[in-house]
Amino acid sequence: MISADAITSRTFTTVRFKEGYSAREVDDFLDEIVDRMTTGDHSLARRIKEKTFSNVRFRGGYDIDEVDDFLDEVARGLEGDAGASTGASTASATAAIPDPHETVAPEPGTSYTSDANLAAPSSDSDAAQLPW
């Protein structure tokens, strides 16, 4: 998890001749994040992802990519904390469910087929008993 100190002390590149986010709005939102972190607000990660800022040009604004990357990092940290707070039982239950699309390699020296299943029928009567 990212600490409140890391959020409040974060600085961004200031831009003037290209679009940037309003520095005041970003700073206010970072303060709001820190305040809400202390309350344990579980919707905070979603709120961070949905937040928009005014774009400014020819006034001091923050580099858009830097702010977006940092807020994504904060949201991921908060989502990880929310998942950890639901308890290990949820994590273990999720881990117990196999992914049907996952390819699993056999253990070394293990065969999942039997040579008996691969043998060709020895006579026409054996072939007639096969379902295909």
Side-chain angles (χ1 to χ4, degrees):
M1 175 176 145
I2 193 160
S3 70
D5 289 336
I7 293 172
T8 56
S9 65
R10 180 66 159 98
T11 59
F12 302 101
T13 302
T14 303
V15 296
R16 285 195 177 279
F17 298 107
K18 70 175 189 173
E19 281 191 332
Y21 285 145
S22 165
R24 174 172 285 158
E25 289 179 22
V26 172
D27 290 340
D28 289 346
F29 187 62
L30 293 177
D31 291 339
E32 180 183 335
I33 291 171
V34 170
D35 290 342
R36 287 178 179 245
M37 284 174 63
T38 59
T39 65
D41 184 352
H42 296 294
S43 67
L44 188 53
R46 186 186 85 242
R47 179 156 163 63
I48 291 170
K49 290 178 181 180
E50 295 172 352
K51 180 64 178 172
T52 59
F53 302 99
S54 301
N55 290 344
V56 297
R57 185 181 277 225
F58 302 115
R59 291 186 307 168
Y62 290 146
D63 183 89
I64 291 172
D65 292 333
E66 283 184 28
V67 173
D68 288 344
D69 290 345
F70 180 69
L71 290 177
D72 287 344
E73 178 185 334
V74 172
R76 280 192 306 271
L78 292 171
E79 286 173 334
D81 289 345
S85 68
T86 60
S89 60
T90 303
S92 62
T94 303
I97 301 171
D99 181 356
H101 303 291
E102 181 180 359
T103 303
V104 179
E107 293 291 324
T110 303
S111 173
Y112 289 107
T113 59
S114 169
D115 291 340
N117 292 338
L118 301 176
S122 60
S123 68
D124 289 335
S125 63
D126 289 341
Q129 294 176 2
L130 295 175
W132 62 87

